[in-house]
């Protein structure tokens, strides 16, 4: 789920989606998508796709090296001041205002919503709990924080007037992704807060915020957690 493991060897990455089939031969790549069965009960068809984008990795090799630190977690702890600054860079304007390009076009929809629902797992869930009070005070909209697996087990009722925010460092968290698919079927507005551009959650949500926290390799989240709270 994370292309950073390949940055030493490649610069371009193609992200597959559900039901994709990739055929590589003679230096050429073709992408097909096996569609699901239609409502009439006929077998799904395989269609050739031509408009998929190939992403360019913008990270440098130094970002995934330990340097002088004994392990990645300690390195990432010390990187937090810079990662927080990166999250805020370009988004703070003069005065008390914050400019979030990905959210600005949907501000009216958010203000009209009856509730904000944050869905996440693990550390991202705890970041949502930490930020809930601030979001509720600033938006004056009720905020609910849900653990993705529990949210799915309960089949939580979702309405078109809801705005559901999916928070994930990698943007590939399995339970959060399944919750996103469930919410989309119910017609609610979906927002993503992720650290990896081009990840599944960033592609499937209607709009969102990119953390810009940099690559996080340590299993125990550090800088992604603090950037999620700031974002």
């Amino acid at each position: 789920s994370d292309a950073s493991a390949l940055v030493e060897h490649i610069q371009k990455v193609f992200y597959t989606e559900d039901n994709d089939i990739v055929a590589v031969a003679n230096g050429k790549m073709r992408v097909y998508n096996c569609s699901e069965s239609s409502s009439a009960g006929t077998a799904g068809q395989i269609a050739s796709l031509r408009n998929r984008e190939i992403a360019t990795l913008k990270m440098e090799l130094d970002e995934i090296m330990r340097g002088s630190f004994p392990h990645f977690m300690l390195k990432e702890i010390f990187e937090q001041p810079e990662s927080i600054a990166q999250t805020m860079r370009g988004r703070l304007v003069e005065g008390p205002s914050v400019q979030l390009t990905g959210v600005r076009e949907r501000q009216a929809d958010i203000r009209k919503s009856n509730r904000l629902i944050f869905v996440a797992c693990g550390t991202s869930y705890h970041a949502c709990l930490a930020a809930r009070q601030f979001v509720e005070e600033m938006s004056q909209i009720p905020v609910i924080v849900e653990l993705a697996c529990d949210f799915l087990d309960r089949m939580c009722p979702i309405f078109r007037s809801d705005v559901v925010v999916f928070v994930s460092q990698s943007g590939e968290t399995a339970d959060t992704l399944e919750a996103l698919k469930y919410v989309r079927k119910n017609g609610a507005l979906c927002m993503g807060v992720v650290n990896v551009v081009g990840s599944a959650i960033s592609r499937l949500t209607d709009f969102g915020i990119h953390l810009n926290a940099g690559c996080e390799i340590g299993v125990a989240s550090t800088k992604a957690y603090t950037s999620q709270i700031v974002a």
Side-chain angles (χ1 to χ4, degrees):
S1 66
D2 195 343
S4 63
L6 305 173
V7 72
E8 184 177 356
H9 308 287
I10 60 170
Q11 289 185 319
K12 295 186 176 181
V13 173
F14 175 77
Y15 294 100
T16 57
E17 297 183 5
D18 289 350
N19 303 313
D20 275 356
I21 300 172
V22 181
V24 180
N26 300 321
K28 295 182 179 180
M29 180 181 76
R30 289 190 177 185
V31 183
Y32 303 89
N33 187 268
C34 182
S35 61
E36 296 180 359
S37 299
S38 69
S39 57
T42 58
Q45 297 180 345
I46 297 179
S48 178
L49 306 174
R50 298 179 180 274
N51 298 322
R52 291 285 187 81
E53 293 184 2
I54 295 178
T56 300
L57 298 178
K58 296 181 180 180
M59 66 184 71
E60 300 292 334
L61 185 59
D62 290 345
E63 295 181 47
I64 61 169
M65 303 299 287
R66 284 190 293 110
S68 59
F69 293 93
H71 48 76
F72 281 106
M73 184 175 177
L74 187 62
K75 174 178 180 280
E76 289 158 5
I77 287 172
F78 279 92
E79 286 177 344
Q80 286 180 102
E82 176 60 24
S83 63
I84 291 172
Q86 288 283 6
T87 300
M88 295 188 295
R89 185 163 289 132
R91 293 168 173 168
L92 294 181
V93 294
E94 292 185 6
S97 300
V98 176
Q99 181 174 313
L100 297 172
T101 306
V103 178
R104 184 171 50 194
E105 296 177 358
R106 295 286 190 164
Q107 276 185 344
D109 295 321
I110 295 172
R111 286 171 180 163
K112 289 188 293 185
S113 66
N114 291 328
R115 57 181 182 170
L116 299 175
I117 304 173
F118 284 77
V119 180
C121 291
T123 303
S124 296
Y125 170 76
H126 288 281
C128 295
L129 289 175
R132 175 172 56 186
Q133 181 179 346
F134 303 109
V135 175
E136 209 163 44
E137 287 178 1
M138 291 187 290
S139 67
Q140 293 298 298
I141 300 172
V143 174
I144 300 168
V145 179
E146 293 278 1
L147 194 60
C149 57
D150 184 49
F151 178 82
L152 285 169
D153 287 343
R154 292 179 8 249
M155 299 295 285
C156 181
I158 296 295
F159 306 100
R160 290 181 179 274
S161 58
D162 293 332
V163 174
V164 187
V165 184
F166 298 90
V167 185
S168 169
Q169 191 283 131
S170 67
E172 304 283 349
T173 309
D175 284 341
T176 308
L177 261 176
E178 289 303 312
L180 170 55
K181 293 172 184 177
Y182 166 72
V183 170
R184 283 174 61 88
K185 289 179 182 177
N186 286 273
L189 191 64
C190 297
M191 173 181 170
V193 179
V194 301
N195 193 37
V196 180
V197 176
S199 60
I201 291 176
S202 69
R203 295 196 306 270
L204 293 174
T205 46
D206 299 304
F207 65 105
I209 299 172
H210 180 234
L211 298 178
N212 294 319
C215 181
E216 187 176 69
I217 294 175
V219 175
S221 183
T222 51
K223 60 182 183 178
Y225 171 77
T226 48
S227 287
Q228 284 170 346
I229 295 174
V230 170

